[in-house]
Amino acid sequence: PTCRRDAIDIIDDDPQCEVETSAVRRRLLLSTMAIAVATVSLDGPADAVGIEEDYTKQVDAVPATPSVVEGELTVSQPPPNRIVNVSDKRPDQKKKANRSGYFVAGGASAAFSHGITVPIDVVKTKSQTDDALAGLSPLDAALRIVEDEGAGALSKGLQPTVLGYGFEGAMKFGVYESLKPLFLVQFAGQSNEAYLAAAVCAGALASIILCPLEETRIRLVTDSSFANGLTDGLPKLLRENGIASPFRKGLAPMLSKQVPYTIGKQVSFDLFASVLYSFLSGLSFVPRGQIAIEVEVGAAFLASIVACLLSQPGDVVLTQTYKNDSSAEGFLSTINSLYGDGGVGRFFRGLSARFLHVGCIITFQLVIYDQLKQALGLPA
């Protein structure tokens, strides 16, 4: 035959060809039916228990079939009955989501932990600046404040505390967790050095964000005539002293507090958690699946002690710098003034109240942060 139509005419005219063609058609029909039955028996019903998971594992083990689409070799789409994990196909988006989770968890845990401890923070700040409260216990100092100024004095600075430390916690935790893998590469897997470098960078960045809100908080606590809260206190502060004022006079004291504080909190928590988990996991009588919360609380409490001791001098310098708007002393001048007022012990005034304050903050913060990370699908 010279063309396809001639071949069809020949087949139609020849009875033997027609018989053979019918037989081929029957065989094709039977083969198609057999394939369909085999596919149904392999996939099973949609609600069959265990079948879908086993089939998915078998499918994942088979390499994707290449196909040509518009002249380019691509991977063919799986059939509709196969489960496709979209997150595995987009690792960049998954990593971005993970990194954003650290910022969310850090900001929420910091805002909550600092907010509920504002009364202790007020007692600590006033103990550092008021000579009449210097030798009192945190409880006695709190009672004296309530007696002199009323119970409302213990909630001063709540708004700038929650807002400021919410932003500060988001940047501190988010930047710290994001920089850890980068510094691990730079330091060739030396975790201690990598964690330390990440904590320094995170603490420095958080300090810049916190400066204006922390000055507003300290002014509200130490000067009852300054303002009523954040909404009128921060604009008044910036209007009187200028936008750059909180950074010009407070950035160095803030760094002297926040960088040691971040190192003591973040790095020591990671180290303490690792040591405690290894120790408790080695005890045969301790169920391994039930030690997570014990490790979190224990490591957080130990980290709070380290962070408090490392950052206490910087906290005293920061409070002295921000306590009124007439402070024109520089960073070193403030240190010399404090040292002349009481020697080395002057830098640890209010330590008992700050131990209580920082202990509550860090314990609540790190435990909540760890729980939020797990809820967001992040490693904890």
Side-chain angles (χ1 to χ4, degrees), residues 39 42-43 52 55-65 75-85 89:
T39 303
L42 178 61
D43 287 348
E52 185 175 350
Y55 179 57
T56 304
K57 293 179 181 178
Q58 295 176 8
V59 170
D60 291 339
V62 179
T65 305
V75 177
S76 61
Q77 294 293 328
N81 62 341
R82 294 191 185 181
I83 299 175
V84 180
N85 191 345
K89 288 189 173 185

Side-chain angles (χ1 to χ4, degrees), residues 149-174:
E149 304 179 36
L154 296 178
S155 63
K156 285 185 176 179
L158 176 61
Q159 294 172 334
T161 296
V162 172
L163 184 62
Y165 282 96
F167 285 118
E168 182 260 358
M171 297 305 299
K172 182 182 293 183
F173 283 99

Side-chain angles (χ1 to χ4, degrees), residues 65-361:
T65 305
S67 62
V68 178
V69 179
E70 297 181 358
E72 297 181 359
L73 188 63
T74 62
V75 177
S76 61
Q77 294 293 328
N81 62 341
R82 294 191 185 181
I83 299 175
V84 180
N85 191 345
V86 179
S87 61
D88 292 341
K89 288 189 173 185
R90 299 181 179 179
D92 294 338
Q93 293 184 4
K94 187 175 181 180
K95 291 179 181 179
K96 291 180 180 178
N98 284 350
R99 285 196 294 269
S100 64
Y102 289 122
F103 288 86
V104 173
S109 61
F112 178 80
S113 59
H114 280 272
I116 64 174
T117 57
V118 162
I120 308 174
D121 196 15
V122 170
V123 174
K124 181 265 299 183
T125 302
K126 284 186 171 293
S127 297
Q128 291 175 347
T129 57
D130 190 349
D131 294 335
L133 303 175
L136 300 180
S137 67
L139 179 58
D140 292 336
L143 294 175
R144 178 72 64 82
I145 293 171
V146 172
E147 182 181 352
D148 294 341
E149 304 179 36
L154 296 178
S155 63
K156 285 185 176 179
L158 176 61
Q159 294 172 334
T161 296
V162 172
L163 184 62
Y165 282 96
F167 285 118
E168 182 260 358
M171 297 305 299
K172 182 182 293 183
F173 283 99
V175 172
Y176 175 69
E177 297 287 0
S178 300
L179 290 180
K180 278 199 301 186
L182 300 179
F183 281 114
L184 280 172
V185 175
Q186 296 296 324
F187 287 95
Q190 299 295 323
S191 60
N192 293 340
E193 291 82 354
Y195 292 171
L196 182 64
V200 170
C201 294
L205 181 59
S207 299
I208 299 174
I209 297 173
L210 189 58
C211 276
L213 292 166
E214 182 67 1
E215 181 174 4
T216 304
R217 183 196 71 81
I218 292 175
R219 291 288 304 280
L220 288 171
V221 173
T222 58
D223 185 2
S224 58
S225 63
F226 172 63
N228 295 320
L230 175 64
T231 54
D232 59 338
L234 182 58
K236 179 180 179 180
L237 179 71
L238 300 179
R239 184 173 59 252
E240 292 180 353
N241 301 331
I243 298 177
S245 175
F247 306 99
R248 184 177 59 251
K249 69 178 182 179
L251 183 57
M254 182 68 77
L255 290 172
S256 70
K257 171 192 173 182
Q258 286 296 324
V259 172
Y261 180 83
T262 306
I263 293 173
K265 180 175 69 173
Q266 248 76 342
V267 177
S268 65
F269 176 76
D270 287 339
L271 297 178
F272 284 135
S274 177
V275 171
L276 288 175
Y277 189 81
S278 299
F279 174 74
L280 294 177
S281 298
L283 301 178
S284 58
F285 58 87
V286 178
R288 187 169 184 177
Q290 301 179 5
I291 63 174
I293 190 65
E294 289 85 353
V295 169
E296 290 174 1
V297 175
F301 177 74
L302 294 174
S304 70
I305 297 175
V306 176
C308 183
L309 291 174
L310 289 178
S311 61
Q312 171 66 18
D315 187 60
V316 173
V317 175
L318 179 66
T319 302
Q320 182 70 19
T321 302
Y322 276 158
K323 74 174 185 177
N324 55 59
D325 60 353
S326 60
S327 177
E329 296 180 342
F331 178 57
L332 296 179
S333 299
T334 303
I335 293 177
N336 291 331
S337 176
L338 289 169
Y339 182 78
D341 188 30
V344 176
R346 180 63 179 86
F347 294 95
F348 292 90
R349 178 185 290 184
L351 182 61
S352 57
R354 192 159 187 268
F355 260 131
L356 181 60
H357 180 233
V358 173
C360 292
I361 283 178

